[in-house]
Amino acid sequence: MTQLEISQNPKSQSGVDYLLIAIAGQIDESNLAELAAVADQLPESAQQFILFDIARLEFINSKVIGYLAGLHSQLDAAGKSMLFFAPNEQIRDILELVGMDTIIPLKNTETEALQAIRDGDL
Amino acid sequence: MPELQLTVPADLAESQAVRSATREFFLAAGFDPKTAGRLVLVADELFMNAVKYGSQPGDSVAIAGWIQDGGVQFSVADFNRRNLTTDDFAAIIEHRKNNLNLHATSGRGIALILREWTDSHEFHAEPGKLSFSFFKKLDSAMQPATAMPKSDSAAGPVFALTGELDELSLAAQSGPIESALETSSTSSIMLDLTAVPFLNSSAIGRIVGWHVQLESRGGGLAIRGAQPEVYDILDLVGATSLMSISPLSS
């Protein structure tokens, strides 16, 4: 089974209340349900902004990208915004290839992500 | 000489082991880590498809890779449990390639990454076996030129790019474009891609970045002269819905 760790942490920093979700490991069809179990609760979360720390995310395939695009639509409909930060080179590569970064903001650091929220760039 | 011969159970739970073995093989073959990572993703997509669509419980999937003609030949074969013919399979691939909905990325993913990240690919189906293979050259260095503004127009300066565009070759030509972007009065730019036969995701990412920058100034970036292959890939990644892109007139 592909290894995956997901943690959630409500935070308030720089005047922004947000839910920080850190993902570590690899995601594919064999363990996508683990991510879905967490993500499916997000439209009802107390926070408007969902930040995904993907610094330790090692692998995703197109199935996962399709799921994340769907999650973005669900959150959008619920009045919430999501973004990713700190992708490694491989993850950035595939997100950019399929144009994912044009619908879900991709930032280098948590600080940049918070700045984008304050600037209204979501 | 690195060589890969794997027969693994047709089980999605094997995916991480497949990725680990293929990464080791592509690195040993001489690819840089980034290219190796891309090829691992291609191999992963092929393996997943073989398990989901070509196999039954208890089946196995054969994976092979070897050095040939200055590159790597890589193949994934399943038992063709849907009894597809080569023509059936070609029709499925074509259908997926034309699915432009980002939310259905898993459908078009394999067609897109094969086209973008490999030099060639082929498939063959017969009763009891469907194999999908690709070839990737070990060296694909490109010689970039420098972009020169052709003329100014109401739509802003026009920059003509040449050759195949990737991160390095575009960076080598982008000096005049970056200079124009530093001028706050520049809100629109036209890229002429008449002499560009191919561009990859890094180049697209950079071009979209310029467009976003110009959009914040009330303008944007437009593209003209996109050759059919170039227009197609820009369309596939959704860039045609972001900015004005005109195909090369025939």
Side-chain angles (χ1 to χ4, degrees):
Chain A
M1 178 61 86
T2 304
Q3 293 174 345
L4 177 65
E5 291 174 29
I6 304 172
S7 64
Q8 297 185 68
N9 185 19
K11 291 182 77 173
S12 184
Q13 190 174 312
S14 306
V16 180
D17 291 325
Y18 59 100
L19 182 61
L20 180 66
I21 298 182
I23 304 177
Q26 305 186 12
I27 317 177
D28 57 27
E29 282 94 326
S30 72
N31 61 1
L32 182 57
E34 291 179 49
L35 174 64
V38 173
D40 288 350
Q41 308 300 317
L42 295 179
E44 282 78 45
S45 73
Q47 293 82 8
Q48 180 186 350
F49 301 105
I50 319 291
L51 275 59
F52 286 86
D53 177 353
I54 54 174
R56 295 169 60 215
L57 179 60
E58 299 163 6
F59 179 86
I60 53 173
N61 64 13
S62 58
K63 177 79 173 178
V64 179
I65 288 175
Y67 175 79
L68 291 170
L71 175 63
H72 171 267
S73 298
Q74 285 179 39
L75 291 175
D76 197 42
K80 299 181 188 303
S81 301
M82 64 184 281
L83 55 71
F84 300 122
F85 68 86
N88 71 26
E89 189 181 17
Q90 302 290 342
I91 300 293
R92 179 183 290 278
D93 202 26
I94 180 65
L95 291 175
E96 291 180 346
L97 172 73
V98 300
M100 183 67 123
D101 57 317
T102 63
I103 63 166
I104 303 175
L106 189 57
K107 302 295 177 185
N108 292 319
T109 64
E110 187 171 356
T111 304
E112 280 186 20
L114 292 171
Q115 186 64 45
I117 292 171
R118 284 198 303 276
D119 293 345
D121 283 347
L122 295 188
Chain B
M1 196 68 78
E3 187 171 309
L4 180 70
Q5 293 278 0
L6 271 182
T7 301
V8 294
D11 184 338
L12 294 179
E14 296 291 330
S15 57
Q16 189 165 5
V18 169
R19 290 195 292 271
S20 177
T22 52
R23 184 182 306 279
E24 192 177 321
F25 167 70
F26 290 127
L27 288 172
F31 290 111
D32 62 89
K34 181 173 182 173
T35 304
R38 290 177 167 188
L39 297 178
V40 168
L41 179 60
V42 178
D44 175 82
E45 302 278 357
L46 293 177
F47 175 70
M48 291 286 182
N49 278 358
V51 173
K52 286 194 294 186
Y53 306 119
S55 305
Q56 292 176 353
D59 284 353
S60 59
V61 174
I63 300 169
W66 62 97
I67 302 287
Q68 179 182 307
D69 301 331
V72 160
Q73 189 74 36
F74 188 90
S75 75
V76 174
D78 59 46
F79 285 95
N80 192 13
R81 293 299 188 185
R82 288 193 295 178
N83 285 320
L84 298 175
T85 65
T86 300
D87 287 346
D88 293 336
F89 196 66
I92 291 171
I93 294 289
E94 189 62 24
H95 173 73
R96 290 180 178 187
K97 197 167 67 181
N98 292 329
N99 181 351
L100 301 181
N101 179 1
L102 180 61
H103 292 216
T105 309
S106 61
R108 66 175 184 159
I110 188 62
L112 179 60
I113 64 175
L114 275 166
R115 180 175 185 154
E116 270 283 273
W117 288 346
T118 71
D119 291 316
S120 63
H121 63 272
E122 60 185 17
F123 41 83
H124 178 73
E126 61 187 43
K129 183 178 180 183
L130 191 156
S131 68
F132 205 130
S133 60
F134 69 80
F135 177 76
K136 177 70 176 173
K137 274 186 290 189
L138 273 161
D139 178 23
S140 53
M142 288 169 269
Q143 297 299 319
T146 300
M148 294 304 294
K150 280 185 173 175
S151 63
D152 285 353
S153 69
V158 179
F159 295 93
L161 298 169
T162 60
E164 297 191 343
L165 298 182
D166 60 12
E167 188 174 354
L168 290 177
S169 62
L170 180 57
Q173 299 183 60
S174 62
I177 299 170
E178 298 285 359
S179 297
L181 286 167
E182 285 171 13
T183 307
S184 59
S185 59
T186 301
S187 63
S188 298
I189 279 178
M190 173 71 79
L191 291 187
D192 186 320
L193 301 188
T194 305
V196 173
F198 171 83
L199 76 177
N200 74 2
S201 58
S202 296
I204 293 172
R206 187 152 187 176
I207 290 170
V208 170
W210 290 334
H211 171 68
V212 169
Q213 194 174 344
L214 292 167
E215 239 185 355
S216 69
R217 298 176 188 172
L221 182 147
I223 289 174
R224 72 182 187 196
Q227 296 184 23
E229 286 271 308
V230 168
Y231 187 89
D232 201 24
I233 190 67
L234 287 166
D235 199 21
L236 274 172
V237 301
T240 48
S241 62
L242 293 175
M243 60 182 83
S244 169
I245 300 177
S246 307
L248 183 63
S249 310
S250 54

